[in-house]
């Protein structure tokens, strides 16, 4: 009986020993390659772990465990482990959530768009045109044509078949709804705009561009307006604004592409209320609608204000007539077409009428520049300190038929120009309107006080 019990204990000990050897931890398997150069440790001191020393069977039989043989993992096994790790990382990346702002972006075609996930762009009715947000988003461009509506910021309004020209009669409309409750303005930028010219009286009889649904009156325009813009105020409710292009009359190759940007009430680039045109920056170019040296014509029934933001450390502004290098051969060299509001037949005779100033002289068409003065002049020729209303066909604040174009300064703030024309331009033959360069003037030490 005792012999059987001893044999059973020995068998059980061997079984447990074999089981422990088979469950070797990964830490024991991976050995440093330099370990075979280090001296072997005495197994009677360090070879046994605390668990082995305090083992019941070790104390009972006083067995000494042999050191575990060194185990290594082959390079092939390590490569497989690395491959599994890479596959695991790629698998996890599929579920990584990338968030980005829906900000403005530049599309591959050069149009402005909004950065959206591609599926969101399609859902909103846009077209993906290039990447944004470091490749995680799509630059979504919104383009609408006749009879469409939009509530997306930065929408392009084009005629059917754009960029090919359009020749036909009808009404092409875009209805614009607010994209957010706090929208106060729309900015209309004429990336391309060329419809029929007005009649000889300056009235847009055949083709018309009409903006309706705004809180301020917007004049009807036609002709060439590429590069120009409008800021239109919208109401507090969600009433839409309608952009309409009416085409009729003789055959004409028309084309338009208008970018519609929605502006929040607290946006820094919002135009002051009542400013149909708004310019920022130290310098720029201001043109009346349908101004063009070659084919433009002054429009009737224009009455609007152009505003220029006063930049920091600038206290005044200087205006000069744009260069007219293409004046027709044989024409009057003194009559530059850069500033032609009244003149010729309207003033009782052909040819240049020169500079005209004052409310009593400029009664049909004029521009108002608050307290305008010439370079180096304190008093004007008529004794007035400054003039507000200018007309004629020469840009000069001294009036009196002056025949030389000169810079005109204004230090009245805010910087504004008001433009007015009457209902009939028939007698003002050849008038184009105006094109003025502006550059703001730095403050002097006295002005800074």
């Amino acid at each position: 009986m005792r012999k059987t019990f001893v044999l059973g204990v020995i068998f059980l000990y061997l079984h447990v020993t074999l089981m422990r050897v088979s469950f070797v931890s990964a830490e024991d398997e991976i050995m440093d390659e330099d370990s075979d150069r280090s001296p072997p440790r005495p197994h009677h001191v360090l070879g046994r772990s605390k668990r082995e020393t305090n083992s019941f069977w070790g104390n009972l039989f006083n067995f000494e465990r042999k050191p575990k043989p060194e185990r290594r993992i082959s390079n092939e096994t390590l490569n497989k482990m690395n491959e599994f790790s890479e596959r695991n990382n790629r698998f996890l990346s599929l579920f990584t959530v990338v968030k980005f702002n829906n900000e403005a972006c530049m599309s591959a075609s050069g149009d402005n768009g909004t950065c959206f996930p591609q599926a969101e762009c399609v859902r909103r009715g846009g077209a993906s045109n290039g990447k944004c947000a470091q490749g995680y988003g799509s630059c979504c461009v919104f383009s609408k044509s006749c009879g469409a509506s939009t509530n997306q910021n930065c929408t392009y309004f084009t005629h059917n078949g754009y960029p090919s020209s359009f020749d036909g009669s009808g009404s092409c409309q875009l209805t614009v709804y607010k994209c957010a409750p706090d929208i106060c303005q729309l900015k209309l930028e004429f990336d391309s705009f060329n419809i029929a010219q007005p009649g000889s009286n300056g009235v847009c009889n055949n083709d018309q561009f009409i903006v309706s649904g705004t809180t301020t009156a917007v004049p009807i325009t036609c002709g060439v307006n590429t590069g120009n813009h409008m800021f239109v105020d919208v109401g507090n409710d969600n009433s839409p604004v309608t952009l309409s292009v009416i085409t009729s009359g003789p055959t004409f190759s028309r084309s338009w592409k208008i970018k519609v940007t929605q502006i929040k009430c607290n946006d820094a680039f919002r135009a002051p209320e009542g400013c149909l045109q708004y310019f920022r920056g130290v310098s720029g170019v201001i043109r009346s609608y349908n101004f063009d040296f070659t084919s433009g014509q002054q429009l009737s029934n224009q009455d609007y204000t152009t505003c220029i933001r006063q930049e920091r450390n600038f206290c005044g502004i200087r205006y000069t007539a744009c260069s007219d290098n293409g004046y027709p051969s044989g024409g009057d060299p003194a009559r530059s077409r850069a500033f032609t509001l009244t003149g010729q037949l309207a003033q009782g005779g052909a040819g240049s009428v020169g500079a005209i100033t004052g409310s009593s002289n400029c009664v049909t068409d004029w521009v108002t520049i608050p307290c305008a003065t010439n370079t180096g002049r304190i008093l004007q020729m008529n004794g007035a300190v400054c003039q507000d209303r200018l007309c004629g066909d020469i840009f000069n604040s001294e009036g009196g038929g002056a025949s030389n174009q000169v810079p005109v300064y204004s230090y009245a703030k805010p910087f504004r120009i008001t433009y007015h024309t009457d209902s009939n331009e028939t007698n003002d033959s050849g008038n184009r309107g105006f094109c003025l360069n502006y550059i703001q003037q730095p403050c002097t030490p006295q002005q800074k006080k």
Side-chain angles (χ1 to χ4, degrees), residues 135-166:
Y136 290 104
S138 295
C139 193
C140 191
V141 178
F142 299 95
S143 183
K144 301 294 181 180
S145 190
C146 306
S149 63
T150 182
N151 62 351
Q152 301 297 325
N153 193 8
C154 191
T155 298
Y156 289 90
F157 174 37
T158 65
H159 58 81
N160 293 326
Y162 184 87
S164 299
S165 60
F166 170 75

Side-chain angles (χ1 to χ4, degrees), residues 150-155 174-180 182-190 209 211-216 218 229-235 238-243 258-265 267 269-272 275-278 289:
T150 182
N151 62 351
Q152 301 297 325
N153 193 8
C154 191
T155 298
L174 174 68
T175 303
V176 182
Y177 293 91
K178 292 182 178 181
C179 65
D182 57 344
I183 297 298
C184 283
Q185 284 183 340
L186 299 180
K187 183 181 181 182
L188 312 179
E189 297 177 79
F190 302 101
F209 175 66
V211 182
S212 57
T214 61
T215 57
T216 54
V218 180
H229 70 267
M230 291 180 176
F231 283 84
V232 297
D233 298 315
V234 299
N238 197 34
S239 299
V241 173
T242 303
L243 312 181
I258 305 171
K259 185 172 77 170
V260 183
T261 304
Q262 304 199 22
I263 301 175
K264 294 183 178 181
C265 302
D267 279 347
F269 53 89
R270 176 189 175 189
C275 299
L276 189 62
Q277 294 178 319
Y278 181 52
Y289 297 116

Side-chain angles (χ1 to χ4, degrees), residues 47-67:
R48 290 181 294 176
S49 66
K50 182 178 180 180
R51 179 178 177 182
E52 294 171 318
T53 305
N54 296 331
S55 169
F56 170 77
W57 303 110
N59 292 336
L60 180 62
F61 297 101
N62 197 23
F63 290 148
E64 288 187 355
R65 298 281 307 277
K66 294 182 180 181

Side-chain angles (χ1 to χ4, degrees), residues 414-445:
F415 301 148
R416 295 192 173 195
I417 296 178
T418 300
Y419 178 49
H420 172 85
T421 63
D422 64 1
S423 59
N424 194 336
E425 297 296 309
T426 301
N427 292 326
D428 294 337
S429 60
N431 289 340
R432 297 288 193 260
F434 69 89
C435 175
L436 298 176
N437 299 307
Y438 79 84
I439 182 168
Q440 299 192 32
Q441 303 299 294
C443 299
T444 64

Side-chain angles (χ1 to χ4, degrees), residues 30 63 67 86 142 192 196 204-205 300-301 315 363 378 398 444:
I30 302 175
F63 290 148
E86 292 178 1
F142 299 95
S192 172
C204 298
N205 293 320
S300 298
N301 301 308
C315 292
V363 295
I378 298 176
E398 289 191 346
T444 64

